[in-house]
Amino acid sequence: MSSFTLADWLLQRLDIGAGGPVYRQLYQLISRAILDGHLEAGTRLPSSRILAGDLAIARNTVIQVYEQLVIEGYANAASGRGTYVEDLSPDRIEGSSDKRRGDGQASAPCPRSGLSPRGQDLIDHVGFSNRQMGAFMPGIPDVAEFPFKAWLRIQNKQWRHGAAQLMSYAPAGGYEPLRHAVSEYLGSVRSVNSTARQVVITTGIHQAVDVATRLLCQIGDVVWIEEPSYWGVRNLVLSSGLKAVPISVDQEGMCPTAQELASPPKLIVVTPSHQYPLGMVMSLARRRMLLEYARQNGCWIIEDDYDSEFRFGRRPLPSLQGLDDAGLVFYAGSFSKTLFPGLRVGFLVVPDDLAMAFAGAVAELYREGQLITQSVLAEFLREGHLTSHIRRVRNLYAERRLGLIAAITRRYGDRLDIVGEHAGLHLVLALPDRVDDRRVTREAIEQGVVVRPLSNYYMKPGGEKKGLLMGYAAVPMPEIDPAFDVLAGVIDTQLDGWHPQGVPLQNS
Amino acid sequence: MSSFTLADWLLQRLDIGAGGPVYRQLYQLISRAILDGHLEAGTRLPSSRILAGDLAIARNTVIQVYEQLVIEGYANAASGRGTYVEDLSPDRIEGSSDKRRGDGQASAPCPRSGLSPRGQDLIDHVGFSNRQMGAFMPGIPDVAEFPFKAWLRIQNKQWRHGAAQLMSYAPAGGYEPLRHAVSEYLGSVRSVNSTARQVVITTGIHQAVDVATRLLCQIGDVVWIEEPSYWGVRNLVLSSGLKAVPISVDQEGMCPTAQELASPPKLIVVTPSHQYPLGMVMSLARRRMLLEYARQNGCWIIEDDYDSEFRFGRRPLPSLQGLDDAGLVFYAGSFSKTLFPGLRVGFLVVPDDLAMAFAGAVAELYREGQLITQSVLAEFLREGHLTSHIRRVRNLYAERRLGLIAAITRRYGDRLDIVGEHAGLHLVLALPDRVDDRRVTREAIEQGVVVRPLSNYYMKPGGEKKGLLMGYAAVPMPEIDPAFDVLAGVIDTQLDGWHPQGVPLQNS
């Protein structure tokens, strides 16, 4: 722009009448021209009178833009005899190799790096999927059954009365009446011993594990997780600079070997009431062994009781927390499975002497809010809607569970095992080791049926079992057979050399 | 309990009619008696017929309780000739020193530890306070001014139509229409260059910094933070196993020394548009220096633009992100200051090539939901309520700001400096170095006036300036003078040997 006439250049670009306020257009064009080096440092800008005349706009507009440019450092008017373009080349970087440029052109290529190794590792192991609905997405309750009417009534009441008191950050531990309601609820249905002050409201198991590792573990400490287990917690632990050690499970739950027991971890994360994802219940003997081991070795335990409300055919065992008299167990749960996942309200029951620290740490680390939602939930619990809702959907899920089992059995008889069907919102359809369950999953999703590959839940390479996690809770009865038929078609193509003898479910 | 008769023992404890279902009472009493060793391993339980007779309850109840006890491992009925108490001493812990006990008594004291050193350090530095309201709580907008009517109308609409589609976990990046609305909004008011896919919905600056450090930094990497700066981010960074290095600010913002520049950090967290808490605006020259330094040294930058919407007397500078053509700047903000803090919706604008990774990592690490809230907010933005709300409260806050400045000036003239009063929701009242601002804060809070001590925002011991952060946005005009009068009374007791010459504000 050697023969640069600012007015001409601006006239080509200003769109008076259509391009937004003239003030803003003019400011943006001139500041851009300075940043890009089209207007060189030291250039004197035309007087406001002349530029306004050339552009046929109000002189005041130009004056305001020049003032703004001066305030922001694009120009200076120090001499009082006009407005001059500032030298915008970056401040000299002292102590650094001097690559200062005066020409407004790009400097040497930037050594911009990508993700850090641990960041890349996290991304390589992401288990999250954007598909969150449809047959047979695991871990999802039937939100269509949610008691909308009661919830909306309470929600509108809370918003109309006193919402302004509930719009700031949450106090340490969360909304007091909700802590009371949760403590009472857990005592009655899960034998959890707690006072309201031990209940810390969280957004779910991820936050519970995160705050516990930050408060209880040093970087590099060992955390035992179950093998297989929920990938979300595993990835969170690994991403936090901790060592996750997978401990195999047998029919009684987490089952450490003698060698593993010889190196005690700092923290143990377990799902005693319903192993995730395989569904076995930790035996009482194993529970007491784990508690005793933790006592002797100074380990902490997080009991993830993620869907203990849904159990078919037998009462749940009391919580591990209820058996703990040494203050070692943190009991974590949420309303994701009983109400709806997107609610993001969970709880961590903390040993009494650590309750204040955990409440404070949650407030400090995550700066939570959502008090209106917490107040709605507290009232919802107080009015008994949770209990009646669970009672109602438990029957519904039991029926759908039987429907899915019937579909599987009709097709495969006893040739494929069904695992963990006594509780929760999903079962596992076991597949022979030679089958690539990830491939089955991909192909099923392409055909509109969502399952998850069991092998994704294993951490140790080579030791994974094959299978499919199948959620049934949110699949209405009439959709079960057709969806399973589609899935079975995919499975059959992978059972090479093996042809199903069962009767196709959809063969009209 | 050597001459233990189970029926007598139970009769003393059963509360038929008042203590809840008999089934549950009986189950709890017997299981507790087994756990506590009152019923020894191998003891044969009375037959269901006899016990039911002794207790005068239905025999079926006893049968059900026995079955439950067997299922849960408290008892066995293997021989078919009665029900026997199981040996509940913990499983032998292989590989560990054998402290197995058979007497049901407590074993050697447990080496239960407390918080980890980093956990204790976090708790020792918690800046969070449960007081979130009242004059002069900093950083809080006036939620009473929130446009409840518009929000509730949209909220009820979203709940009544299609809420079931919005009740599961959030997709990676958040609710798509909200990402679009935020991208558009930031482009128009903050010169942020982004597409919707670059906008990742977060719960606020804490989550934004957390995900960025997990994806961009290794444990032990150095993060530059401003000195002084927001304690929440500092504590989060330290708790994550990173090294936080405080970099002093001057009148142009973050100002690293030559020595500091010689050791480049991995990540730089800055508040260019309104330094928190001191309020200066980072100059254009400093911005370009920082960008150039980051380019040359492969640093990442998080721009925390936390309350840039509230600026009095001059237009805000464009965002740092808008000046960045190397893809180094992450732009973070939230609706905490413009709508209400408890909303917990924020955003992180991510360089395009990293957008997918960040969206996936947020979903993986935090498993967020709140899609209904996000959909309400998207509609609220689309209908223009945010812009008109900001316009309205900006005038209100400007008036209150002047009210507070007038109160300070009337009392102290130019003997105490006011810092950072041109923007945001708070100002800093500077105090002489000899004054203990933490003590002033404590005493003021005891008298019902909330302020925050400036020294808490410094990390380097000994280098802290003294002062009080005072929020004015949420303080109605008539409350400013009386509250300031109370505060001034406290301040005056600390200005030892110095007596105010100003006229007391409340001297009737």
Side-chain angles (χ1 to χ4, degrees):
Chain A
M1 216 181 280
S2 55
S3 62
F4 180 82
T5 313
L6 184 61
D8 290 346
W9 190 83
L10 290 169
L11 276 171
Q12 287 167 26
R13 286 162 180 80
L14 274 175
D15 189 4
I16 292 168
V22 173
Y23 171 90
R24 192 160 135 203
Q25 286 190 55
L26 191 61
Y27 163 81
Q28 284 177 338
L29 285 169
I30 301 182
S31 62
R32 199 69 243 171
I34 295 172
L35 281 175
D36 292 348
H38 296 314
L39 279 170
E40 285 182 20
T43 307
R44 181 180 174 164
L45 295 174
S47 79
S48 56
R49 191 182 53 76
I50 288 173
L51 187 62
D54 287 351
L55 301 176
I57 62 176
R59 184 172 171 200
N60 243 351
T61 303
V62 179
I63 291 174
Q64 277 181 36
V65 167
Y66 280 11
E67 282 176 2
Q68 185 69 31
L69 291 169
V70 169
I71 284 170
E72 298 187 357
Y74 287 95
N76 69 69
S79 68
R81 291 180 305 163
T83 307
Y84 293 83
V85 174
E86 260 292 358
D87 181 2
L88 282 194
S89 50
D91 274 11
R92 190 185 160 80
I93 302 171
E94 300 171 66
S96 172
S97 61
D98 189 358
K99 298 187 187 170
R100 185 179 186 182
R101 302 157 296 118
D103 58 1
Q105 298 307 303
S107 68
C110 153
R112 179 180 186 279
S113 53
L115 302 180
S116 66
R118 74 164 170 156
Q120 191 61 52
D121 194 59
L122 175 67
I123 294 305
D124 290 345
H125 289 88
V126 159
F128 177 84
S129 153
N130 270 349
R131 276 296 298 264
Q132 293 292 334
M133 307 191 98
F136 297 97
M137 175 74 200
I140 301 293
D142 193 343
V143 295
E145 297 295 324
F146 180 75
F148 288 97
K149 223 168 127 182
W151 185 271
L152 275 180
R153 175 177 51 76
I154 300 170
Q155 181 170 277
N156 278 310
K157 194 180 78 181
Q158 300 300 85
W159 269 92
R160 288 184 206 285
H161 302 102
Q165 306 299 315
L166 300 171
M167 293 171 91
S168 69
Y169 298 107
Y175 184 64
E176 194 65 26
L178 181 60
R179 300 170 76 186
H180 277 275
V182 168
S183 173
E184 208 164 287
Y185 171 74
L186 294 177
S188 79
V189 304
R190 299 295 297 126
S191 314
V192 170
N193 295 322
S194 71
T195 60
R197 97 182 205 112
Q198 288 175 261
V199 175
V200 175
I201 303 301
T202 67
T203 57
I205 184 67
H206 287 240
Q207 195 173 74
V209 170
D210 191 59
V211 70
T213 54
R214 287 178 192 264
L215 284 186
L216 304 174
C217 303
Q218 292 291 91
I219 298 291
D221 275 354
V222 170
V223 177
W224 279 2
I225 58 172
E226 293 165 321
E227 174 87 334
S229 67
Y230 171 47
W231 38 263
V233 167
R234 175 184 70 206
N235 288 339
L236 177 64
V237 164
L238 290 171
S239 163
S240 303
L242 301 162
K243 292 196 184 74
V245 172
I247 306 290
S248 297
V249 298
D250 64 12
Q251 275 313 306
E252 295 183 60
M254 179 182 263
C255 183
T257 64
Q259 196 185 347
E260 286 161 346
L261 287 165
S263 304
K266 191 73 200 168
L267 178 67
I268 303 172
V269 183
V270 276
T271 53
S273 71
H274 179 213
Q275 202 277 332
Y276 191 85
L278 294 179
M280 67 281 283
V281 176
M282 185 180 283
S283 69
L284 200 56
R286 193 63 60 76
R287 286 168 196 240
R288 289 168 65 89
M289 181 279 273
L290 208 59
L291 285 172
E292 184 59 26
Y293 177 75
R295 273 172 67 97
Q296 289 178 18
N297 295 283
C299 317
W300 302 102
I301 298 176
I302 295 180
E303 173 177 25
D304 179 5
D305 208 28
Y306 71 102
D307 68 357
S308 59
E309 290 86 353
F310 300 109
R311 179 158 297 283
F312 312 109
R314 56 168 74 170
R315 272 183 44 152
L317 275 181
S319 65
L320 196 59
Q321 196 267 5
L323 298 175
D324 168 35
D325 47 16
L328 302 172
V329 176
F330 293 76
Y331 176 92
S334 80
F335 296 100
S336 296
K337 313 296 184 201
T338 49
L339 293 174
F340 58 96
L343 179 61
R344 310 317 298 133
V345 180
F347 39 82
L348 183 65
V349 179
V350 176
D352 189 63
D353 60 329
L354 298 178
M356 291 279 285
F358 272 72
V362 167
E364 183 79 9
L365 290 168
Y366 317 112
R367 202 92 165 119
E368 289 297 345
Q370 300 289 3
L371 285 177
I372 302 179
T373 301
Q374 292 186 24
S375 78
V376 175
L377 181 54
E379 184 68 11
F380 187 87
L381 287 172
R382 211 188 56 74
E383 291 186 4
H385 299 293
L386 178 65
T387 320
S388 59
H389 174 61
I390 290 176
R391 204 162 36 228
R392 207 161 49 83
V393 294
R394 190 190 280 132
N395 293 333
L396 191 69
Y397 298 170
E399 184 193 10
R400 292 171 179 178
R401 173 180 71 102
L402 291 177
L404 178 57
I405 291 172
I408 296 172
T409 312
R410 261 201 308 277
R411 179 90 174 201
Y412 295 107
D414 55 4
R415 282 161 303 175
L416 295 181
D417 278 344
I418 300 172
V419 179
E421 75 277 25
H422 296 301
L425 306 177
H426 76 273
L427 53 75
V428 176
L429 178 61
L431 292 174
D433 280 349
R434 68 177 186 280
V435 173
D436 180 348
D437 54 2
R438 294 188 175 100
R439 184 167 165 192
V440 171
T441 301
R442 276 196 306 275
E443 294 183 3
I445 287 176
E446 274 170 26
Q447 298 193 35
V449 176
V450 186
V451 291
R452 282 182 177 276
L454 179 59
S455 55
N456 272 8
Y457 293 74
Y458 287 81
M459 187 175 165
K460 274 185 279 203
E464 64 267 26
K465 298 257 186 300
K466 304 298 175 57
L468 301 175
L469 269 73
M470 303 179 63
Y472 46 75
V475 192
M477 289 299 281
E479 294 176 24
I480 291 178
D481 283 356
F484 185 73
D485 205 28
V486 171
L487 178 65
V490 175
I491 292 173
D492 288 348
T493 65
Q494 300 298 310
L495 292 170
D496 45 274
W498 180 88
H499 295 284
Q501 325 267 295
V503 182
L505 296 170
Q506 292 282 302
N507 209 342
S508 54
Chain B
M1 215 181 284
S2 54
S3 63
F4 180 82
T5 314
L6 184 60
D8 290 346
W9 190 83
L10 290 169
L11 275 171
Q12 287 167 27
R13 288 162 179 81
L14 272 175
D15 189 3
I16 292 168
V22 174
Y23 171 90
R24 192 160 133 203
Q25 288 189 55
L26 191 61
Y27 164 81
Q28 284 175 338
L29 285 169
I30 301 182
S31 62
R32 199 69 244 171
I34 295 173
L35 281 175
D36 292 349
H38 297 313
L39 279 170
E40 285 181 21
T43 307
R44 182 181 171 161
L45 295 175
S47 78
S48 55
R49 191 183 50 80
I50 289 175
L51 187 62
D54 289 352
L55 300 177
I57 61 177
R59 183 174 172 199
N60 243 350
T61 304
V62 179
I63 291 176
Q64 277 180 35
V65 167
Y66 280 10
E67 282 178 0
Q68 184 70 31
L69 290 169
V70 169
I71 284 170
E72 297 187 357
Y74 287 95
N76 69 69
S79 69
R81 291 180 307 161
T83 308
Y84 293 83
V85 173
E86 260 292 358
D87 180 3
L88 281 194
S89 50
D91 275 12
R92 190 188 160 79
I93 302 171
E94 299 171 65
S96 171
S97 62
D98 190 358
K99 298 185 189 171
R100 187 181 185 181
R101 301 157 295 115
D103 59 1
Q105 298 307 303
S107 67
C110 154
R112 179 180 185 278
S113 52
L115 301 180
S116 65
R118 74 164 170 156
Q120 192 59 53
D121 194 61
L122 174 67
I123 294 305
D124 291 345
H125 288 89
V126 159
F128 177 84
S129 155
N130 269 350
R131 277 295 299 263
Q132 292 292 333
M133 305 190 100
F136 298 98
M137 176 73 200
I140 301 291
D142 193 343
V143 294
E145 297 295 323
F146 180 75
F148 288 96
K149 221 168 129 184
W151 185 271
L152 274 180
R153 174 177 52 73
I154 299 170
Q155 181 170 277
N156 279 311
K157 193 180 80 182
Q158 300 301 86
W159 269 92
R160 288 185 205 284
H161 301 102
Q165 306 299 314
L166 299 171
M167 292 172 91
S168 69
Y169 298 106
Y175 184 64
E176 194 64 28
L178 181 60
R179 301 169 76 187
H180 276 276
V182 168
S183 173
E184 209 164 287
Y185 170 74
L186 294 177
S188 79
V189 303
R190 299 295 297 126
S191 315
V192 170
N193 295 322
S194 71
T195 60
R197 97 181 206 113
Q198 288 175 262
V199 176
V200 174
I201 302 301
T202 67
T203 58
I205 183 67
H206 287 238
Q207 194 173 75
V209 170
D210 191 59
V211 69
T213 54
R214 286 177 192 264
L215 284 186
L216 304 174
C217 303
Q218 292 293 90
I219 298 292
D221 275 354
V222 170
V223 177
W224 279 3
I225 57 173
E226 292 165 323
E227 174 87 333
S229 67
Y230 170 48
W231 38 264
V233 166
R234 176 184 69 207
N235 288 338
L236 177 64
V237 164
L238 290 170
S239 163
S240 302
L242 301 163
K243 292 196 183 75
V245 171
I247 305 291
S248 298
V249 298
D250 64 11
Q251 275 313 308
E252 295 184 60
M254 179 181 263
C255 183
T257 64
Q259 198 185 348
E260 287 161 344
L261 288 165
S263 303
K266 192 71 200 171
L267 177 67
I268 303 171
V269 183
V270 277
T271 53
S273 70
H274 179 215
Q275 203 279 331
Y276 191 83
L278 295 179
M280 68 279 283
V281 176
M282 185 179 284
S283 69
L284 200 56
R286 191 65 58 78
R287 285 169 195 240
R288 289 168 66 88
M289 181 280 273
L290 208 58
L291 285 171
E292 183 59 25
Y293 176 76
R295 274 173 67 97
Q296 288 178 18
N297 295 283
C299 316
W300 303 101
I301 298 175
I302 295 180
E303 174 178 26
D304 178 4
D305 208 28
Y306 71 104
D307 69 357
S308 59
E309 288 87 352
F310 299 109
R311 180 158 295 282
F312 311 111
R314 56 168 77 169
R315 273 184 45 152
L317 274 180
S319 65
L320 196 59
Q321 195 267 5
L323 297 175
D324 168 34
D325 48 17
L328 302 172
V329 176
F330 293 76
Y331 177 91
S334 81
F335 296 100
S336 295
K337 312 298 182 201
T338 49
L339 294 174
F340 59 96
L343 179 62
R344 310 318 296 134
V345 180
F347 40 80
L348 183 66
V349 179
V350 176
D352 189 64
D353 59 331
L354 299 177
M356 291 279 285
F358 272 72
V362 166
E364 184 78 8
L365 291 168
Y366 317 112
R367 202 90 166 121
E368 290 297 345
Q370 300 290 3
L371 286 178
I372 302 179
T373 301
Q374 292 186 24
S375 79
V376 175
L377 181 55
E379 184 68 11
F380 188 88
L381 287 172
R382 212 189 55 73
E383 291 186 3
H385 299 294
L386 177 65
T387 320
S388 58
H389 174 61
I390 290 176
R391 202 159 37 225
R392 207 162 49 82
V393 293
R394 190 190 281 131
N395 293 333
L396 191 69
Y397 298 168
E399 184 193 9
R400 293 171 178 178
R401 173 180 71 102
L402 290 178
L404 178 58
I405 292 172
I408 296 171
T409 312
R410 263 202 308 276
R411 181 89 175 202
Y412 294 108
D414 54 6
R415 282 160 305 174
L416 294 182
D417 279 343
I418 300 172
V419 179
E421 76 278 24
H422 296 300
L425 307 177
H426 76 273
L427 53 76
V428 176
L429 178 61
L431 292 174
D433 280 347
R434 68 176 186 283
V435 173
D436 182 348
D437 55 1
R438 293 187 175 102
R439 185 167 164 189
V440 171
T441 301
R442 276 194 307 274
E443 295 184 3
I445 287 176
E446 273 169 27
Q447 299 194 34
V449 175
V450 186
V451 292
R452 283 183 177 274
L454 178 60
S455 55
N456 272 8
Y457 294 75
Y458 286 82
M459 186 175 167
K460 275 184 278 202
E464 64 266 26
K465 297 254 187 301
K466 303 299 175 56
L468 302 174
L469 269 74
M470 303 179 63
Y472 45 74
V475 192
M477 288 300 280
E479 293 176 25
I480 291 178
D481 283 356
F484 187 73
D485 206 29
V486 171
L487 178 66
V490 176
I491 292 172
D492 288 348
T493 65
Q494 299 299 311
L495 291 171
D496 44 276
W498 181 88
H499 295 284
Q501 324 266 297
V503 182
L505 296 171
Q506 292 283 303
N507 209 343
S508 54

